[in-house]
């Protein structure tokens, strides 16, 4: 089966109904996305499919479009990840790949400018990413701070993409 | 000085980039997969186990049972007579989920299939499932040393002068408090990779643990090999919270499988196993009476405590002990009397969980202190301040308190919440509550718990490595130890590595539990680093010929001269292999161990304190409690890394709030009903505000760099803080967590003297159901459950590996229809497929992807003005599309409450409408009537039906239609276009559903589109929903849509064609036809309530515990009504 992941086309010996997460982790060695529930309920497996955050643990590989995992977003998310580190937005780190992937999509899509609305929008979207360690607030602050920084920078410098089609 | 700074976690780049390797990420060549066979019965004798068929199956490399272990062997745990659990069930199983056998095979599918092929013959017998059942007329689950049946331990004693306390008192408050069993729900499922080395007779383990030493202790004992031959390796660990602070059952199983198969074996628990087979928090029932004198001085605590042990001891004895100690640790009454029993039940054994008994008893004590305050007319904060013990005193339970800044914590909460001016901000439903607490910095709970070794290596290139034997499951321990080493050695954080967990390479350390990490390893690493620094300074002094040497910036400096640490290493005669190493032992003195028979002990070197304050907004119409502000003030001594301390405060508080507001492991017949994130109400990102942590600055000489603990302290106060706030908000005292909407509305109804009458005797259509429901507890349920299920269809696949599946991508509806008629399954976003397939006896293997069919993914305006929404439009696309059109706002509103963005990006309109019922018995594998056939019971009749079952029209099945989209579309007169072969037909949505999540569709029917009539597109509508957490399924929903009168005069004045649709209340979405005709723009909220109540009472037939949903429904309608009026004005 043919699968496009992080911009590369792979031929993978798998069944089209195999969950995408298993194909990414076991056949392609991309272990950033995690198996935490296997039921699409917690978000630890979040990847981008056609630029949209999706639960890879319940997506049949044969129904996946263009897949981007955290391994393909390291550059683009580097400012966000620095904010994560500065604010303690991760502790055990297991939910973190899913959080970073989802937040990266949110940041591309444009969050509200008003700080209160922005915070609420981030919290609402991250309902799809359970964290048991941090209580969420540091994650939300990291995403909001990155959005703020990028909106200030965008009037000064190039957009923070890394070859991703937004 | 890095100590005291909020430095980034040392591995932040790897963790945030997904490069950190957790056990299941490791690629060990040729490893096998392990699966565990678990007991389906709460209590049964095992008559025989036949593994022959499993052993012959393809790919199977090893099968183990109790016969593979020495006869009668049990985990050591707390030793001696308390040791009661075998590694694999030996002749008897005592809880649903207990391990009976395990298989290692080439693939996980093969291992699971082989487990299903193991034939076990059971003689099922009854056994007590609750402490109440255990006490009277029940089987003894174990032989215990206490004098009472099923009481594993009893602690009946007192501290101080009980009589003086009683006689000094003028008032008291009494109550029974319940803190339920809750799950750790760590994000990383437990995982162990075991690699047995036959030539060296040792096993290497990469396991998700907080305490490698304990893993080695138990695994070595059970395998009969020396402790040093169980070698743990460092691996990233995804959360623990206590669940991984002793050995876990699957660790031994993985090791034993590996030894038998002579190959490495990876065991990863499923999320169901995580919830239902792991060891959760112990449930406590605390009956407490608190006494005080007229000045508000607390004089006596008097408690009867029942702790649900579950089926095996584990740490139950010490959890109970620490729970009781709560009463003797925080204030200084004259005395405290307690009688505590640890009661065996045939359910999941309790384990270690953050707080360890203290949150449970604190719920009682801190709630009751507020009750005392109210009786005396005193401010709750003032009452607590009045009763604080001074620093450097000894508490009733023997704690020799060192520093205590609890008073400052309370005043910080008072100021942070705006406590003094709160009345100015009071609105209906708003309230404030506080709670205080104390927790040690590592209890002397085990031999050698007072010892911690650490090592420092300085390399020839000047970089430094810290080595300690514990494990950091996310607490930040590795980082603070690096900070300590950096500070002592004058080295930059970037030049420090930390090695943890490795049994060969790291020195003795018992691990992370009891909040001991900061103290024990902070001290040992600090000592090692200082001693290494002394060595380096001595070397430098010799080299430089100077005495006064300091270490800074990676060098030893004396005046203007310096020598790099790297060079000192080369100079040292002790260096080996290019590095200079130093190992040291830290021995904590002055603490006392937990000793059976001794009632007091100074367990910890220092004690942390905290006060929390909550502001809640209770929706008095739905019962939903929302925390709108939360302040958490902590006395941690000195914060070695303030950012990380804040993280522990916020994370622990949120975990405690989860238990306060929604978390609970629910069981039916001993089986966990809600072993899934979707059914377990832990907080999600939008459910809580940001906790405001306050570190009350301090310094405790007893601790490393002045530090005390924080990790467990923060989970202790939230229960009582919220309970107190809810009382302040609504005048109802809830003593049983979680404080869910059902409890609030039931209490409000009782307080206001409201009852509903359903006149069942006047409604013959209800008599049959009433009779059946009455017969269930009289033996009908037992008969159907024990006997009827033997005749029903199996739940889940049999002992075969699932066949590979085929995916079709038809281009036309006609083609899809033909494939569906031949038995293939239609897929929208497939978001429910995998979960549901696991429960099918023969999972489907042919699928049809409809997303490629032309027209199915579009939203189009039709020529007659109607709106056609293709069946494969995703929920996200529909929400966005409607918002863009500026129409049907209630549909977009409803969609935004569904699941998560990830699900909405995949889930389709048709898929959402057609999703199967969400009853948690049906979904989580109970062999119910709908799952397995007519001889089987409906588990919701006697089981927990408070949230997602019908209060109206429940019949053989009590479930409801879960689709919010399906519900709201009723308010827009939607039609469903169904294709079959080459034809299409249109059905009104009100005729579409025939039952809970059941439709008129037959094999071969394909939903093609939803069509909204032109007139309906302009309806003004709102959608209101009550759910436990963000994205959860509705407990009840209300959609109100009206056509404002387009005639002359005020357009909002008259309403036409009202649609009032209630979701999740009846098997199908329910229109309140009579109410629709009586609702008008001018009716007013009170009249609306009466109108809706009147109709509900005529048609409702609630189950014993879901009548409250009717109140919630009425409440939602009132809110919807107000919003529609506002929209139109």
């Amino acid at each position: 089966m043919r699968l496009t992941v992080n911009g590369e086309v792979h031929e993978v010996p798998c069944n089209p109904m195999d969950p995408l997460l298993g194909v990414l982790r076991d056949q392609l060695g991309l272990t950033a996305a995690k198996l935490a529930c296997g039921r699409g309920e917690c978000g630890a497996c979040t990847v981008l499919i056609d630029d949209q955050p999706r639960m890879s643990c319940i997506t049949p590989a044969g129904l996946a479009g263009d897949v981007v995992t955290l391994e393909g977003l390291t550059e683009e998310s580097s400012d966000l990840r620095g904010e994560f580190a500065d604010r303690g937005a991760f502790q055990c780190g297991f939910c973190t790949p899913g959080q970073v992937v989802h937040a990266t999509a949110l940041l591309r899509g444009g969050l509200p400018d008003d700080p209160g609305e922005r915070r609420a929008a981030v919290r609402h979207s991250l309902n799809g990413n359970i964290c048991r360690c941090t209580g969420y607030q540091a994650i939300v602050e990291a995403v909001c701070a990155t959005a703020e920084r990028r909106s200030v920078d965008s009037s000064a410098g190039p957009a923070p993409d890394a070859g991703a089609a937004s | 000085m890095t100590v005291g700074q909020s430095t980034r976690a040392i591995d932040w780049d790897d963790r945030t980039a997904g490069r950190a390797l957790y056990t299941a990420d490791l690629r060990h060549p040729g490893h096998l997969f392990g699966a565990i066979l678990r007991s389906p019965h709460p209590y049964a004798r095992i008559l025989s186990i036949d593994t022959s068929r499993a052993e012959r199956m393809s790919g199977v490399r090893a099968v183990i049972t109790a016969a593979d272990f020495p006869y009668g062997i049990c985990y050591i745990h707390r030793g001696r007579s308390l040791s009661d659990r075998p590694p694999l069930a030996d002749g008897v199983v005592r809880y649903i989920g207990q391990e009976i056998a395990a298989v290692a095979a080439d693939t996980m599918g093969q291992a699971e299939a082989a487990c299903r092929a193991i034939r076990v013959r059971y003689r099922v017998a009854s056994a007590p499932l609750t402490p109440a059942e255990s006490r009277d007329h029940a089987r003894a689950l174990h032989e215990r040393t206490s004098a009472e049946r099923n009481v594993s331990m009893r602690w009946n004693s007192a501290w101080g002068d009980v009589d003086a306390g009683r006689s000094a008192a003028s008032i008291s408050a009494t109550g029974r408090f319940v803190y339920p069993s809750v799950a750790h729900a760590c994000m990383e499922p437990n995982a162990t990779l075991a690699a047995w080395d036959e030539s060296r007779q040792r096993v290497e383990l990469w396991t998700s643990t907080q305490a490698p030493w304990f893993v080695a202790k138990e695994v070595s004992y059970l395998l009969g090999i020396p402790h040093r031959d169980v070698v743990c390796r460092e691996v990233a660990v995804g959360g623990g919270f206590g669940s991984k602070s002793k050995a876990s059952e699957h660790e031994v199983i993985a090791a034993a499988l590996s030894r038998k198969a002579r190959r490495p074996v990876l065991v990863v628990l499923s999320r169901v196993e995580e919830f239902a087979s792991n060891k959760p928090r112990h449930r406590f029932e605390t009956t407490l009476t608190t006494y005080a004198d007229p000045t508000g001085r607390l004089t006596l605590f008097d408690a009867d405590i029942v702790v649900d042990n579950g089926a095996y001891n584990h740490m139950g004895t010490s959890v109970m002990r620490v729970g009781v100690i709560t009463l003797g640790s925080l204030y200084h009454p004259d005395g405290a009397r307690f009688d505590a029993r640890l009661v065996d039940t045939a359910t999941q054994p309790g384990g270690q969980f953050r707080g360890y008994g203290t949150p449970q008893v604190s719920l009682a004590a801190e709630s009751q202190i507020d009750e005392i305050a109210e009786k005396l007319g005193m401010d709750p904060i003032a009452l607590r301040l009045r009763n604080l013990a001074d620093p450097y005193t000894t508490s009733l339970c023997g704690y020799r308190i060192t520093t205590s800044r609890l008073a400052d914590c309370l005043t910080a909460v008072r100021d942070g919440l705006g406590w003094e001016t709160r009345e100015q901000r009071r609105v209906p439903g708003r309230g404030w509550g506080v709670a205080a607490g104390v927790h040690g910095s590592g209890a002397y709970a085990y031999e050698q718990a007072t010892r911690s070794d650490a090592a420092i290596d300085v390399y020839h290139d000047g970089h430094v490595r810290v080595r300690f034997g514990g494990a950091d499951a996310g607490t930040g321990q590795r980082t603070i130890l690096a900070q300590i080493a950096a500070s002592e050695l004058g080295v930059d954080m970037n030049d420090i590595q930390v090695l943890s967990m490795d049994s060969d390479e790291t020195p003795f350390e018992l691990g992370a539990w009891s909040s001991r990490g900061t103290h024990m390893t902070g001290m040992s690493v600090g000592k090692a680093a200082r001693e290494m620094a002394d060595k380096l300074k001595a070397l430098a002094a010799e080299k430089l010929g100077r005495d006064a040497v300091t270490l800074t910036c990676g060098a030893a400096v004396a005046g203007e001269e310096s020598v790099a640490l790297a060079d000192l290493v080369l100079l040292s005669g002790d260096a080996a292999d290019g590095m200079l190493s130093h190992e040291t032992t830290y021995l904590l003195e002055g603490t006392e161990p937990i000793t059976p028979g001794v009632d007091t002990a100074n367990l910890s070197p220092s004690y942390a304190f905290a006060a929390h304050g909550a502001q809640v907004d209770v929706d008095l119409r739905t019962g939903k409690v929302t925390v709108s502000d939360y302040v958490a003030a902590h006395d941690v001594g000195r914060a070695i890394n303030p950012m990380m301390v804040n993280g522990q405060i916020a994370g622990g508080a949120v975990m405690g709030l989860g238990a306060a507001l929604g978390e609970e492991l629910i069981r039916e017949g001993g089986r966990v009903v809600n072993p899934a994130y979707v059914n377990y109400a832990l907080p999600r990102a939008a459910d809580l505000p940001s906790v405001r942590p306050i570190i009350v600055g301090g310094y405790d000489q007893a601790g490393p760099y002045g530090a005390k603990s924080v990790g467990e302290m923060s989970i202790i106060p939230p229960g009582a803080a919220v309970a107190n706030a809810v009382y302040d908000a609504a005048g109802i005292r809830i003593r049983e967590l979680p404080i869910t909407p059902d409890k609030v509305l039931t209490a409000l109804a009782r307080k206001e003297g409201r009852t509903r009458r359903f006149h069942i005797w006047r409604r013959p259509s209800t008599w049959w159901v009433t009779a059946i429901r009455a017969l269930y507890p009289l033996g009908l349920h037992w008969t159907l459950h024990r006997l009827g299920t033997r005749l029903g269809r199996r739940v889940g696949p049999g002992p075969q590996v699932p066949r590979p599946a085929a995916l079709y991508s038809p281009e036309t509806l006609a083609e899809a229809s033909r494939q569906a008629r031949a038995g293939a399954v239609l897929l929208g976003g497939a978001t429910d497929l995998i979960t549901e397939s696991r429960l099918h006896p023969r999972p489907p293997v042919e699928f049809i992807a409809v997303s490629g069919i032309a027209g199915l993914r579009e939203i189009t305006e039709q020529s007659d003005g109607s709106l056609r929404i293709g069946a494969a439009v995703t929920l996200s696309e529909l929400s966005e599309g409607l918002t863009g059109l500026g129409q049907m706002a209630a549909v977009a509103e409803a969609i935004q409450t569904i699941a998560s963005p990830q699900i909405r990006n995949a889930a389709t309109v048709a898929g959402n409408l057609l999703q199967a019922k969400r009853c948690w018995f049906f979904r989580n594998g109970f062999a119910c009537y709908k799952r397995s056939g007519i001889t089987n019971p409906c588990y919701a009749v006697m089981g927990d039906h408070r949230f997602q079952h019908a209060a109206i029209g429940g019949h053989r099945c009590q479930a409801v239609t879960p689709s919010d989209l399906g519900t709201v579309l009723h308010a827009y007169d939607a039609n469903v276009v169904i294709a079959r072969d080459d034809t299409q037909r249109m059905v009104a949505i009100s005729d579409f559903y025939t039952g809970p999540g059941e439709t008129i569709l037959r094999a071969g029917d394909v939903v093609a589109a939803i069509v909204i009539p032109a007139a309906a597109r302009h309806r003004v509508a709102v959608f209101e929903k009550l759910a436990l957490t963000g994205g959860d399924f509705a407990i009840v929903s209300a959609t109100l849509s009206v056509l404002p009168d387009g005639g002359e005069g005020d357009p909002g004045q008259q309403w036409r064609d009202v649609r009032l649709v209630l979701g999740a209340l009846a098997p199908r979405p329910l229109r309140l036809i009579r109410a629709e005709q009586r609702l008008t723009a001018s009716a007013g909220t009170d009249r609306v309530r009466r109108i809706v109540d009147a109709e509900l009472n005529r048609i409702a037939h609630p189950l014993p515990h879901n009548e409250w949903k009717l109140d919630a429904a009425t409440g939602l309608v009132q809110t919807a009504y107000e919003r529609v009026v506002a929209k139109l004005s």
Side-chain angles (χ1 to χ4, degrees), chain B residues 498-510:
Chain B
V498 178
L499 179 66
S500 61
M501 294 175 79
D502 190 299
S503 306
D504 276 345
E505 304 287 328
T506 61
F508 177 82
E509 222 299 305
L510 286 186

Side-chain angles (χ1 to χ4, degrees), chain A residues 15 17 25-26 34 36 41 46 53-54 81 86 88 91-94 123-125 127-129 132-133 136-137, chain B residues 8 13 15-16 22 24-25 27 183-184 271 474 643 647 651 663 678 683-686 690-691 805 896 902 905:
Chain A
N15 185 281
M17 294 308 294
R25 287 176 54 82
D26 300 328
K34 304 299 182 201
E41 294 168 4
T46 303
R54 294 276 298 272
R81 297 189 297 107
D86 283 333
Q91 291 179 23
C92 84
F94 201 77
R123 278 191 181 270
H124 179 244
S125 289
N127 268 343
N129 292 76
R132 202 53 168 153
C133 294
Y136 302 105
Q137 58 204 62
Chain B
R8 293 182 171 187
D13 194 24
R15 296 260 168 169
T16 60
Y22 302 79
D25 299 327
R27 292 287 166 263
H184 305 79
R271 188 48 62 180
M643 172 188 77
E663 294 185 41
V678 77
R684 294 189 181 247
S690 293
V691 168
Q896 288 303 313
Q902 297 98 315
N905 289 336

Side-chain angles (χ1 to χ4, degrees), chain B residues 808-966:
Chain B
Y808 307 131
S809 301
E811 287 175 4
T812 65
L813 280 169
E815 202 183 332
S817 172
R818 275 189 291 281
Q819 289 163 344
R821 189 129 47 100
V825 168
L826 292 155
L827 288 186
T831 54
D832 210 6
L833 167 68
I834 285 170
T835 317
E836 266 298 285
S837 295
R838 288 201 191 108
L839 296 174
H840 275 268
R842 270 197 299 273
V845 288
E846 290 179 303
F847 300 94
I848 307 163
V850 299
S851 41
I853 299 175
L856 249 51
R857 286 199 66 170
E858 287 154 27
I859 303 172
T860 46
E861 184 102 20
Q862 313 256 81
S863 54
D864 62 356
S866 64
L867 190 67
R868 184 184 173 100
I869 303 165
V873 170
T874 67
L875 296 181
S876 292
E877 286 165 354
L878 180 56
S879 175
E880 235 172 284
L882 293 175
T883 306
L885 283 173
Q887 291 179 353
M888 298 177 63
V891 176
E893 194 179 11
I895 289 173
Q896 288 303 313
T897 70
I898 295 175
S900 62
Q902 297 98 315
I903 294 288
R904 298 195 291 270
N905 289 336
T908 62
V909 166
N912 185 276
L913 292 182
L914 297 174
Q915 71 183 291
K917 55 187 75 55
R918 284 281 171 179
C919 160
W920 50 22
F921 301 102
F922 176 79
R923 282 289 185 152
N924 292 319
F926 281 72
C928 75
Y929 150 64
K930 284 289 185 182
R931 185 63 76 185
S932 299
I934 60 169
T935 59
N936 292 40
C938 167
Y939 287 90
V941 174
M942 290 182 60
D944 193 329
H945 49 239
R946 291 174 291 152
F947 299 119
Q948 276 158 9
H949 294 90
I952 300 175
H955 199 257
R956 191 81 194 260
C957 169
Q958 320 306 319
V960 298
T961 295
S963 169
D964 290 318
L965 182 61

Side-chain angles (χ1 to χ4, degrees), chain B residues 379-540:
Chain B
D379 175 277
I381 293 182
L383 181 67
R384 288 172 170 84
L385 285 169
R386 194 215 173 305
N387 280 282
L388 295 187
D390 290 327
Y392 299 100
T393 55
T394 300
S395 76
L396 281 181
C397 68
Y399 282 179
R400 287 205 287 277
I401 309 288
T402 53
T403 59
S404 168
R405 302 283 308 271
L406 182 53
D408 293 327
C409 293
L410 284 163
T411 52
V413 165
R414 187 187 63 200
D415 297 338
L417 274 188
W419 182 264
E420 315 268 76
T421 58
R422 64 195 191 280
E423 290 307 327
Q424 296 166 19
R425 299 187 308 279
R426 193 179 286 279
V427 293
R430 176 166 294 171
W432 295 264
V434 304
V438 60
H439 198 277
S441 308
Y444 194 165
Y446 279 92
E447 251 182 65
Q448 303 195 88
T450 50
R451 173 181 166 190
S452 178
D453 294 356
I456 302 277
D457 306 317
V458 182
Y459 288 81
H460 63 86
D461 62 357
H463 90 264
V464 173
R465 183 171 66 166
V466 175
R467 286 184 282 125
F468 80 107
D472 180 343
T475 55
Q477 189 176 15
R478 293 168 75 244
T479 299
I480 64 164
L481 296 180
Q483 287 176 257
I484 288 170
S487 293
E488 295 294 347
L489 295 168
V491 169
D492 189 85
M493 282 288 284
N494 289 325
D495 294 325
I496 311 244
Q497 283 177 321
V498 178
L499 179 66
S500 61
M501 294 175 79
D502 190 299
S503 306
D504 276 345
E505 304 287 328
T506 61
F508 177 82
E509 222 299 305
L510 286 186
W513 41 274
S514 187
S515 297
R516 66 192 291 279
T518 295
H519 184 96
M520 295 305 295
T521 64
M523 293 298 259
S524 63
V525 168
K527 183 164 185 269
R530 276 189 302 278
E531 289 169 359
M532 172 61 89
D534 289 341
K535 271 194 190 177
L536 292 169
K537 287 186 207 174
L539 284 168

Side-chain angles (χ1 to χ4, degrees), chain A residues 1-162:
Chain A
M1 226 199 66
R2 189 162 293 168
L3 205 54
T4 304
V5 182
N6 296 332
E8 278 179 40
V9 178
H10 297 266
E11 280 289 340
V12 262
C14 72
N15 185 281
M17 294 308 294
D18 287 345
L20 176 63
L21 179 66
V23 175
L24 294 172
R25 287 176 54 82
D26 300 328
Q27 315 250 21
L28 298 177
L30 298 167
T31 57
K34 304 299 182 201
L35 176 62
C37 76
R39 296 166 52 121
E41 294 168 4
C42 75
C45 67
T46 303
V47 299
L48 300 184
I49 297 181
D50 299 329
D51 297 319
Q52 296 200 317
R54 294 276 298 272
M55 305 294 196
S56 64
C57 72
I58 52 170
T59 302
L63 292 182
D66 267 6
V67 181
V68 177
T69 68
L70 179 56
E71 288 91 341
L73 294 172
T74 327
E75 283 272 321
E76 179 180 344
S77 64
S78 67
D79 54 345
L80 173 67
R81 297 189 297 107
E83 291 285 353
F84 263 59
D86 283 333
R87 292 163 190 280
F90 71 91
Q91 291 179 23
C92 84
F94 201 77
C95 78
T96 306
Q99 305 278 4
V100 173
V101 169
H102 195 169
T104 299
L106 291 178
L107 289 164
R108 285 179 186 174
L111 290 164
D113 289 325
D114 172 77
E117 283 176 28
R118 173 186 284 165
R119 172 163 281 119
V122 171
R123 278 191 181 270
H124 179 244
S125 289
L126 292 185
N127 268 343
N129 292 76
I130 300 179
C131 174
R132 202 53 168 153
C133 294
T134 67
Y136 302 105
Q137 58 204 62
I139 298 172
V140 174
E141 282 159 31
V143 178
C144 289
T146 307
E148 181 64 34
R149 184 203 297 237
R150 286 187 188 182
S151 77
V152 165
D153 287 351
S154 73
S155 47
D161 80 330

